[in-house]
Amino acid sequence: MPSLTGGQATVRSLIKAGIKQLYGLPGVQNDWLYNALYDYQDEIKVIHTRHEQGAGYMALGHYLATGEASVYNIVPGPGFLNSTGALSTIYGLNAKTLCLVGQIPKKAQGKNWGVLHEIPDQMGIMERLTKWSRKINSPSEAPQVISEAFSQLQSHRPRPVGVEVPMDVLSSTEDISFENFEIKSETPTINQDQLEQAAQMIAEAKNPLVFVASGAMHASKEVIQFVEYIQSPVFAYRTGKGIVPSSHYLSYPVPAAHALWKDCDLCIAIGSHARMPLTKWGQSPDLKFLSINIDPNAHHNMRQADIAITGDSKAVLEEINKMLPNFTDAKDSIESKMQDFAKKWNEQTAYLEPQSSYLNLIREELPPDGIFVDELTQVGFASRIVWDTDQPRTYLCTGHMGTLGWGFQTALGAKAACPEKMVISVAGDGGFMFGVQELATAVQHKLGVIILLFNNNLYGNVRSMQENLYDNRVIATDLHNPDFVKMAHAFGANSTRVHDMDGLRKAIREAKGESLPTLIEIPVGNDWPSTNRFKGLPRVF
């Protein structure tokens, strides 16, 4: 039985859990953790950032791009709080990420002594932003706590977990046993009677519509098989893009479903709440709702589900796909009908210029497995409607959180996790400056992300609302920016400024394969059309 410090026991536990890369920032409360990371650096790599939020967002990008559990580490108190914008986004996106945070010495906790980085009830804060959180109270507890943390990550609804380690636990030494180190994965037992009821309901439906989101990201094959058998259009919330390829004749973004909603007799939500149609468009009195979700508390959030199947979406669909031929024959293809539907949908979105032209150019230059990371900017908003992707985990967005400034930092994590893939981050000047310091991280760790910076010297979306909704009551939306090209050069990054589509295409091609990040500034105005009409589609019932 080896004698290890708490830091060594924690790091060895992370290695046993399969973690090969950690995103973090050192600091005095974590000194002995980083001593251990130094000891085992041939087994686990540290990518250190310039701000705690950057560590959290990079861990998020790692998970979103791969589906693998990720870890970030920060010091307690203000360091932890600096990361909570990222942690709340991790929570909102159902990501399997461990927040590993330091803590002041055990003897000082709760005493209000004013110890460095002491805040009241750090664990209480973390518990509200994670599905499970624990403290390691001694070095010998590290294997059990870490294995349970990863078991929680791999069980039931994916969401972040938290582990807190006091600095004196990290530095003290005990005999450590890994004999019982085990990561378990638990999922709900699927109710077979409900599966049969669901199959019968699906067989009887005349006009079913399927809605998918991140809860089905790992079930692409099963979703495709399902919708092809019943010939139902499938509509992806932005966190579900790529589950069914955009090139598939049945695949569309959620707002496109509005035109078919009046005839829908069965709404099927797979790893999704189907929030927009169920809460904004009204409901036929005859509409039935089938919810497939791993979270038993999620089924009835938007309306009472007629059938609520609690289980992993992949496992549930595997069973339903086997069962359906016993209830109904495969439906005749509706491809020709959907071609007409696609034409009308394209006409509806054609006004989104020049955003669509920019996105089409990016799509042409980005390989099929390349990763696009959106942001709270007009090109990002439009991408939720018109971006096409044929592979899961290649379109990354904030979902309902809408965390301004997340994009560039998250893109770095995606690139660190998938160095062989091309990663493009779109950003506005306002959001980009939230994480501009991570350009230093990208240069130091050779993370060749391509940043397309659309610069209008404004918080443009807020400015448009001030002008159009509030009688031109403009305040606090003008921005003073640096020369972004010179600034990026000062960090050691590649950078250029372009003024037209040809220049942008040339700049992207020159950036491909670069080990250093490339910032491409695109000066723009603030008069681009908004996607807001798709948020406010009229009620059908």
Side-chain angles (χ1 to χ4, degrees), residues 241 246 252-253 255 345-346 348-360 363 372 378-389 395 531 534:
K241 277 185 177 288
S246 300
Y252 292 87
W345 173 244
N346 290 337
Q348 265 189 278
T349 62
Y351 79 97
L352 285 171
E353 289 291 354
Q355 299 99 303
S356 290
S357 291
Y358 279 113
L359 290 165
N360 289 338
R363 177 69 280 175
F372 178 96
Q378 290 304 324
V379 171
F381 294 143
S383 73
R384 301 170 182 179
I385 305 296
V386 300
W387 179 259
D388 290 334
T389 185
Y395 178 85
T531 59
F534 295 109

Side-chain angles (χ1 to χ4, degrees), residues 38-52:
Y38 177 89
D39 293 338
Y40 304 126
Q41 60 187 293
D42 58 334
E43 298 178 76
I44 186 168
K45 178 181 179 181
V46 177
I47 294 184
H48 58 296
T49 61
R50 302 303 290 267
H51 190 279
E52 290 88 355

Side-chain angles (χ1 to χ4, degrees), residues 195-197 199-200 203 323-329:
L195 287 175
E196 292 185 7
Q197 293 167 14
Q200 184 64 46
M323 195 176 289
L324 271 177
N326 297 325
F327 289 83
T328 182
D329 294 332

